[in-house]
Short mmCIF file of all heavy atoms in Angstrom, two decimals:
data_model
loop_
_atom_site.label_atom_id
_atom_site.label_comp_id
_atom_site.label_asym_id
_atom_site.label_seq_id
_atom_site.Cartn_x
_atom_site.Cartn_y
_atom_site.Cartn_z
N VAL G 9 14.81 2.18 13.21
CA VAL G 9 16.02 2.94 13.27
C VAL G 9 15.90 3.70 14.68
O VAL G 9 15.13 4.63 14.85
CB VAL G 9 16.19 4.03 12.20
CG1 VAL G 9 17.55 4.71 12.23
CG2 VAL G 9 15.98 3.38 10.84
N GLU G 10 16.71 3.20 15.56
CA GLU G 10 16.57 3.65 16.98
C GLU G 10 17.85 3.26 17.72
O GLU G 10 18.38 2.13 17.61
CB GLU G 10 15.41 2.87 17.63
CG GLU G 10 15.32 2.86 19.11
CD GLU G 10 14.92 4.16 19.65
OE1 GLU G 10 13.80 4.60 19.52
OE2 GLU G 10 15.87 4.84 20.22
N ASP G 11 18.48 4.21 18.52
CA ASP G 11 19.70 3.88 19.14
C ASP G 11 19.50 3.26 20.48
O ASP G 11 20.50 2.78 21.04
CB ASP G 11 20.60 5.15 19.22
CG ASP G 11 19.92 6.26 20.00
OD1 ASP G 11 18.67 6.33 19.91
OD2 ASP G 11 20.59 7.07 20.57
N ASP G 12 18.32 3.31 21.03
CA ASP G 12 18.05 2.70 22.30
C ASP G 12 17.78 1.25 22.20
O ASP G 12 16.69 0.91 21.64
CB ASP G 12 16.90 3.49 22.96
CG ASP G 12 16.62 2.98 24.40
OD1 ASP G 12 16.74 1.71 24.65
OD2 ASP G 12 16.24 3.87 25.24
N ILE G 15 14.33 -0.09 23.49
CA ILE G 15 13.25 0.26 22.70
C ILE G 15 13.11 -0.52 21.42
O ILE G 15 12.09 -0.96 20.95
CB ILE G 15 13.12 1.79 22.41
CG1 ILE G 15 12.91 2.54 23.70
CG2 ILE G 15 11.99 2.10 21.49
CD1 ILE G 15 12.95 4.08 23.59
N ASP G 54 13.39 6.92 14.95
CA ASP G 54 13.65 7.78 16.17
C ASP G 54 14.30 9.09 15.76
O ASP G 54 15.23 9.07 14.92
CB ASP G 54 14.62 6.92 17.11
CG ASP G 54 15.11 7.79 18.24
OD1 ASP G 54 14.40 8.66 18.76
OD2 ASP G 54 16.28 7.57 18.70
N LEU G 55 13.76 10.21 16.27
CA LEU G 55 14.34 11.42 15.86
C LEU G 55 15.65 11.81 16.49
O LEU G 55 16.48 12.55 16.02
CB LEU G 55 13.37 12.63 16.06
CG LEU G 55 12.14 12.74 15.13
CD1 LEU G 55 11.35 13.95 15.50
CD2 LEU G 55 12.55 12.67 13.65
N GLY G 56 15.89 11.18 17.68
CA GLY G 56 17.15 11.49 18.43
C GLY G 56 18.21 10.43 18.19
O GLY G 56 18.38 9.46 18.94
N LEU G 57 18.91 10.51 17.00
CA LEU G 57 19.95 9.55 16.66
C LEU G 57 21.26 10.15 16.87
O LEU G 57 21.49 11.37 16.82
CB LEU G 57 19.80 9.19 15.22
CG LEU G 57 18.55 8.27 14.87
CD1 LEU G 57 18.29 8.13 13.37
CD2 LEU G 57 18.60 6.89 15.49
N PRO G 58 22.29 9.30 17.19
CA PRO G 58 23.58 9.83 17.56
C PRO G 58 24.34 10.54 16.40
O PRO G 58 25.10 11.48 16.63
CB PRO G 58 24.37 8.61 18.03
CG PRO G 58 23.66 7.49 17.46
CD PRO G 58 22.27 7.85 17.32
N VAL G 80 9.03 8.08 15.64
CA VAL G 80 8.88 7.71 17.06
C VAL G 80 9.82 8.64 17.87
O VAL G 80 10.99 8.50 17.73
CB VAL G 80 9.29 6.29 17.29
CG1 VAL G 80 9.08 5.85 18.70
CG2 VAL G 80 8.43 5.38 16.32
N ALA G 82 10.93 11.08 21.38
CA ALA G 82 10.75 11.23 22.80
C ALA G 82 10.37 12.63 23.02
O ALA G 82 9.89 13.05 24.06
CB ALA G 82 12.06 10.98 23.54
N ARG G 83 10.62 13.50 22.02
CA ARG G 83 10.46 14.96 22.22
C ARG G 83 9.04 15.39 21.82
O ARG G 83 8.68 15.41 20.69
CB ARG G 83 11.45 15.68 21.31
CG ARG G 83 12.86 15.36 21.81
CD ARG G 83 13.88 16.00 20.86
NE ARG G 83 14.14 15.04 19.72
CZ ARG G 83 15.09 15.36 18.76
NH1 ARG G 83 15.70 16.49 18.78
NH2 ARG G 83 15.28 14.52 17.81
N LYS G 103 7.10 8.80 22.60
CA LYS G 103 7.44 7.89 23.63
C LYS G 103 7.05 8.46 25.01
O LYS G 103 7.20 9.60 25.21
CB LYS G 103 8.98 7.66 23.58
CG LYS G 103 9.58 7.00 22.44
CD LYS G 103 11.07 6.95 22.57
CE LYS G 103 11.73 6.82 21.28
NZ LYS G 103 13.18 7.03 21.31
CA1 LIG M 1 17.36 8.12 20.55
#
Side-chain angles (χ1 to χ4, degrees):
V9 186
E10 163 70 74
D11 58 329
D12 183 323
I15 295 175
D54 172 30
L55 286 187
L57 292 168
V80 182
R83 294 174 275 181
K103 292 178 203 166

